[in-house]
Amino acid sequence: MFVADCLTINDKGHLCIDQADTLALAAKYGTPLYVMSESQIRTNCRRYQESLQRFYDGNGLIVYASKAFCCKEICRIIAQEGLGLDVVSGGELYTAASVKFPGEKIYFHGNHKTPSELVAALEYGVGTIVVDNLEELSLLDRLACAQGKQQEIMLRIKPGVDAHTHQFIRTGQIDSKFGFALETGEALLAVQEAARLSHIRLTGLHCHIGSQIFDTEPFLLAVRVMVGFLAQIRQETGLTLHRLNLGGGYGICYTPDDDPPMYEAYLQRVSTVVREVCGLLDFPLPYLLLEPGRSIVGPAGVTLYTVGSVKEIPGVRTYVSIDGGMTDNPRYALYQSRYQILNARQAAQPQTMRVTLAGRCCESGDLIGEDLPVQALAPGDTVAVLSTGAYNYSMASHYNRVPNPPVVMVRDAEDRLIVKRESWEDLAARDL
Ligand code: LLP
């Protein structure tokens, strides 16, 4: 019935996450409230690692994409689980560094890294910088030279693969702001340039074709293109690159209708095709990196809200207002994303209403969803929006000067605060 294993219903009929009663959490911490299941996050990490072990002899690394959900505690958990970390800004790097995340397992991405971010990465000893463009390549070489270092890098490649997903979260095709295109010869040029620079050590290629992808075919196509390019590089430059990073993008369940293949199946197919193509091209099996974000943390989160008003417009729709909205979850406004919602007190009851869940901002588009089935809702009820662990907290804004909710982590029914609630004072603290 539920979109994630960490969700259950207790004998009072209340929704529980990692065995903690969501109504008790809402009463203790207030709403809106993000709640994450630590057990689910750790299980997801282990499933990925076990699959890599099983299907690819463990010859690689699972790298958590921290853009999906970044705070100190998740960096600690990811480090404990032995995964690598993908950061995409100085802020994410700073967060990782503040809990002493092992530098050699950090992958620094982004299409516009500033000079000061690159300096910070070099100083911290970030293991791999995934270079996006020629300007960055020469800047990094100069900055590494100034620090007397040789920096290991990968190049971000656009494999020209169209992943079947929302256009804003699709990145692998030629018309994308990310990386070097293959078709134009730009990617090969970048390889040659990187090989020439003395403070850069090019060891591999990276691609990321998009996010929330259910279809395995685009991933397999990307593998074929990328391994083909590795072989072409060897042939044209004599350089054998030993690492292949295939990015993230594995889809998750947001509603009971979603049916993504299990990531064991992804990994099995991806590994098979890597072996197959490497065999055909007589290329050594590369060290494989995968960068899941959403599928590690997404199913592990729920957001709890308190209902304000219920406005039934006869023959039109019923608006249910909540004490949060696009400031803590902009995904419906941005991508028309669908979510499963529940009345947390009556989670097992039949869903007798269809509602538009409306946020509190002065913006008609501030909705969490439309035409959503849910149990009867009245003012004061607690609504749970499921699968909000990824790209909710990390994409929160302060529109209308609404403070961001806190984050509570639960493990085996034990809850703890991991990010404090913002106050109005916090919001104005930097104003002069
Ligand atoms: N690696 C790279 C280089 C990426 O750009 C991304 C996501 C990932 C890994 C992780 O992808 P995932 O496994 O989470 O799909 N805000 C959008 C999603 C944007 C994804 C951006 N890049 C959303 O809310 O759907």
Side-chain angles (χ1 to χ4, degrees):
M1 166 188 181
F2 286 136
V3 285
D5 301 337
C6 59
L7 302 174
T8 50
I9 296 175
N10 66 12
D11 49 10
K12 295 182 198 149
H14 300 176
L15 176 71
C16 294
I17 175 165
D18 213 333
Q19 298 170 54
D21 186 323
T22 53
L23 286 182
L25 294 172
K28 180 171 173 182
Y29 296 100
T31 61
L33 179 67
Y34 297 114
V35 190
M36 306 280 288
S37 158
E38 185 174 348
S39 311
Q40 181 83 63
I41 293 170
R42 290 188 187 271
T43 302
N44 294 345
C45 292
R46 288 171 198 178
R47 280 178 56 192
Y48 266 112
Q49 286 172 309
E50 282 159 16
S51 305
L52 187 66
Q53 187 61 44
R54 181 159 160 221
F55 300 115
Y56 203 68
D57 299 325
N59 180 24
L61 184 66
I62 304 297
V63 177
Y64 166 65
S66 72
K67 70 206 76 185
F69 174 68
C70 183
C71 66
K72 291 181 182 177
E73 188 64 0
I74 190 74
C75 292
R76 290 188 195 103
I77 292 172
I78 294 299
Q80 284 163 10
E81 291 297 326
L83 273 66
L85 195 74
D86 150 357
V87 300
V88 75
S89 69
E92 288 179 356
L93 175 59
Y94 175 85
T95 310
S98 65
V99 301
K100 301 191 166 51
F101 196 95
E104 69 279 7
K105 283 188 172 171
I106 298 182
Y107 289 73
F108 188 13
H109 286 277
N111 67 310
H112 185 123
K113 305 175 188 80
T114 65
S116 56
E117 287 175 322
L118 289 172
V119 167
L122 285 160
E123 279 171 357
Y124 189 65
V126 163
T128 308
I129 296 183
V130 182
V131 173
D132 176 271
N133 55 71
L134 288 174
E135 288 70 27
E136 185 188 338
L137 194 62
S138 60
L139 172 63
L140 182 61
D141 184 61
R142 290 197 303 279
L143 295 174
C145 174
Q147 291 194 25
K149 290 186 173 159
Q150 198 191 39
Q151 177 63 45
E152 187 158 343
I153 67 158
M154 294 183 129
L155 293 178
R156 167 122 187 200
I157 305 298
K158 291 187 256 198
V161 171
D162 181 8
H164 308 122
T165 187
H166 192 284
Q167 60 162 331
F168 289 174
I169 53 177
R170 200 191 296 166
T171 50
Q173 72 284 10
I174 186 168
D175 182 8
S176 161
K177 69 171 183 166
F178 298 103
F180 297 97
L182 279 177
E183 296 93 323
T184 58
E186 182 190 26
L188 190 61
L189 201 77
V191 171
Q192 286 158 341
E193 180 62 10
R196 210 179 52 76
L197 298 172
S198 48
H199 295 275
I200 296 287
R201 194 156 58 88
L202 175 64
T203 60
L205 301 179
H206 169 272
C207 70
H208 171 79
I209 57 173
S211 198
Q212 186 56 6
I213 303 170
F214 280 14
D215 184 0
T216 331
E217 277 313 309
F219 288 106
L220 303 183
L221 190 56
V223 168
R224 293 195 174 92
V225 172
M226 295 297 283
V227 177
F229 187 45
L230 284 171
Q232 185 193 350
I233 291 171
R234 183 181 59 179
Q235 194 183 348
E236 301 205 12
T237 69
L239 204 65
T240 304
L241 302 180
H242 292 284
R243 299 194 303 159
L244 178 60
N245 185 334
L246 294 172
Y250 310 93
I252 64 164
C253 280
Y254 281 104
T255 74
D257 304 332
D258 289 339
D259 187 21
M262 289 312 194
Y263 26 89
E264 283 84 353
Y266 274 119
L267 263 156
Q268 182 172 21
R269 286 181 204 141
V270 162
S271 310
T272 308
V273 175
V274 172
R275 285 180 203 284
E276 210 176 86
V277 185
C278 284
L280 273 174
L281 299 173
D282 191 25
F283 195 84
L285 277 186
Y287 184 79
L288 202 59
L289 295 127
L290 300 172
E291 281 173 345
R294 189 192 310 270
S295 49
I296 299 275
V297 290
V302 300
T303 310
L304 304 175
Y305 302 100
T306 301
V307 172
S309 65
V310 177
K311 285 186 192 163
E312 190 186 337
I313 308 176
V316 181
R317 62 165 96 195
T318 301
Y319 281 101
V320 172
S321 80
I322 49 169
D323 51 356
M326 67 189 289
T327 50
D328 57 79
N329 181 356
R331 297 193 67 258
Y332 186 74
L334 277 172
Y335 322 115
Q336 301 79 49
S337 312
R338 281 191 72 78
Y339 285 97
Q340 185 178 14
I341 68 167
L342 295 169
N343 178 335
R345 187 180 296 282
Q346 306 171 358
Q349 299 301 311
Q351 301 190 307
T352 52
M353 282 178 95
R354 287 195 97 87
V355 305
T356 291
L357 201 60
R360 51 170 300 168
C361 284
C362 287
E363 181 96 18
S364 302
D366 176 13
L367 307 174
I368 296 292
E370 296 172 89
D371 200 24
L372 299 172
V374 67
Q375 296 82 10
L377 281 175
D381 281 345
T382 303
V383 185
V385 179
L386 311 187
S387 309
T388 56
Y391 303 113
N392 275 231
Y393 170 75
S394 64
M395 291 178 75
S397 75
H398 291 127
Y399 184 42
N400 289 175
R401 286 232 144 166
V402 175
N404 291 158
V407 186
V408 165
M409 187 68 86
V410 183
R411 185 176 194 180
D412 301 333
E414 297 283 325
D415 55 271
R416 64 186 194 281
L417 192 61
I418 62 164
V419 179
K420 288 193 243 174
R421 183 180 296 283
E422 250 178 348
S423 64
W424 293 329
E425 292 76 24
D426 290 334
L427 286 171
R430 284 167 293 116
D431 294 8
L432 302 173

